Amino acid sequence: MPPPPFLTALLEPYAAPPPPTRPHVTLTFAQSLDGKIGGLHSTPLPLSGAESMQMTHWLRTLHEGILVGGATARGDDPQLNTRHLPPPARDAPPHPAPRPIVLDSTLLLSPSCKLLRNFNAGTGRRPWIVGVGPPQCDAEWEKRRTALEGAGARVLLLDLSDTEREATRTPALLALLRAQGVRTLMVEGGARVIRSFLSAPCNVDTILITTAPVLVGPGVDWADGVGKLDAWRVVETRLVGRDSVVALVARPEEEDAT
Ligand SMILES: NC(=O)C1=CN([C@@H]2O[C@H](COP(=O)(O)OP(=O)(O)OC[C@H]3O[C@@H](n4cnc5c(N)ncnc54)[C@H](OP(=O)(O)O)[C@@H]3O)[C@@H](O)[C@H]2O)C=CC1
Ligand SMILES: Nc1nc(O)c(N)c(N[C@@H]2O[C@H](COP(=O)(O)O)[C@@H](O)[C@H]2O)n1
């Protein structure tokens, strides 16, 4: 069974080589009707129904890397694999699995997280952890780095000063991943990562938002401070099971954004 044709059509432009400075980037997440992607507690909040969750797992097969922020990695303990897909047909190759990438500036991820457990069990790819540093003379940080590497992670470091961090770290991160050979990247969140990627339209090629017909109430609001998404145009809306899915692509500069 192949991925849904609307997904492959949406990502057709990714067949072209990415720019030298970054991968092709898809930003995707599931939200509630009241725009929440998480609850008040640091635990995963299931929003997607079975069909849209499977769609997300198909989308994972279409990317070389899958990225989450440190808070998501610590709170959700995600696997970032394709386990919700039907098994491939007999004699067909396994579904491609993206490389898990965690943005974890201070290397606080647990060495016994599921990503590392799956890697060590031979059921997941080696996760990459992107930190910022190294901070000078910080023995605790060195200890955490050694523990993560000992557990199988590859630690990559962004060399950014504190003043550079908010404005330039997403472009710097994308350049780092591109230099490491990542040509297509799926970004799943959380809220801070979404905001940081949306802070400049040139960070993202495609946005795909699943909206589940539920209300969360107090929780994690991804859109707070994002603005109007004027730089984006809708290219697809569809029902996937009980959820609605909207896809947007970067609007060409010459097009009127009204
Ligand atoms: N429904 C969905 O589809 C999804 C929901 N979620 C939910 O999102 C919530 C977590 O979101 P949130 O708390 O905002 O945390 P994030 O997962 O966005 O992680 C933010 C952390 O990542 C680090 N970081 C490193 N580089 C960057 C960068 N370029 N941009 C932004 N952050 C960076 C920051 O560390 P530092 O400050 O040290 O630099 C920050 O602490 C959870 O509730 C989770 O369940 C998450 C993914 C998808
Ligand atoms: N598409 C989608 N729908 C939801 O309802 C979600 N809660 C999420 N969360 C994201 O998926 C990660 C979990 O991945 P695994 O199931 O462990 O593979 C979670 O960390 C969020 O990034 N996504």
Side-chain angles (χ1 to χ4, degrees):
M1 195 189 201
F6 87 94
L7 286 186
T8 35
L10 187 65
L11 301 192
E12 224 166 56
Y14 294 9
T21 51
R22 68 168 176 86
H24 295 296
V25 176
T26 306
L27 177 65
T28 186
F29 53 88
Q31 65 167 5
S32 60
L33 285 176
D34 52 344
K36 304 294 171 18
I37 63 166
L40 279 185
H41 307 291
S42 303
T43 49
L45 181 69
L47 289 165
S48 301
E51 294 87 351
S52 67
M53 186 55 89
Q54 189 173 85
M55 176 203 73
T56 298
H57 282 221
W58 279 120
L59 195 63
R60 289 176 174 181
T61 69
L62 299 173
H63 293 83
E64 292 181 349
I66 179 166
L67 178 144
V68 294
T72 295
R74 289 189 294 274
D76 290 4
D77 197 10
Q79 303 194 59
L80 307 179
N81 57 20
T82 59
R83 67 191 179 283
H84 291 312
L85 298 183
R90 220 159 62 98
D91 300 332
H95 298 301
R99 162 91 54 204
I101 302 166
V102 177
L103 293 183
D104 188 17
S105 314
T106 45
L107 306 186
L108 289 168
L109 189 65
S110 165
S112 58
C113 67
K114 284 183 187 156
L115 290 173
L116 284 163
R117 291 215 305 270
N118 288 350
F119 170 63
N120 287 306
T123 57
R125 295 186 66 184
R126 181 189 294 281
W128 292 359
I129 299 178
V130 183
V132 174
Q136 280 178 344
C137 308
D138 187 338
E140 287 305 310
W141 184 92
E142 277 301 346
K143 247 196 242 170
R144 295 199 295 276
R145 175 185 177 155
T146 305
L148 285 167
E149 287 178 338
R154 177 173 182 215
V155 175
L156 301 167
L157 293 178
L158 274 174
D159 185 13
L160 293 176
S161 70
D162 280 349
T163 47
E164 281 176 313
R165 264 165 90 163
E166 282 308 323
T168 60
R169 70 176 168 178
T170 297
L173 162 79
L174 290 173
L176 174 75
L177 296 181
R178 181 74 192 93
Q180 294 300 319
V182 179
R183 289 169 301 180
T184 51
L185 180 70
M186 174 162 161
V187 177
E188 287 207 354
R192 280 190 59 190
V193 167
I194 293 169
R195 285 197 282 271
S196 144
F197 272 76
L198 287 179
S199 63
C202 58
N203 294 332
V204 178
D205 298 288
T206 311
I207 306 174
L208 195 130
I209 303 175
T210 295
T211 304
V214 297
L215 292 172
V216 168
V220 182
D221 180 355
W222 69 271
D224 188 23
V226 163
K228 287 183 168 175
L229 293 185
D230 281 346
W232 303 90
R233 71 190 154 90
V234 174
V235 291
E236 177 80 49
T237 56
R238 61 171 58 214
L239 266 185
V240 179
R242 49 141 228 201
D243 300 335
S244 48
V245 172
V246 175
L248 304 96
V249 297
R251 187 190 290 274
E253 266 170 36
E254 66 273 13
E255 213 172 297
D256 181 7
T258 54

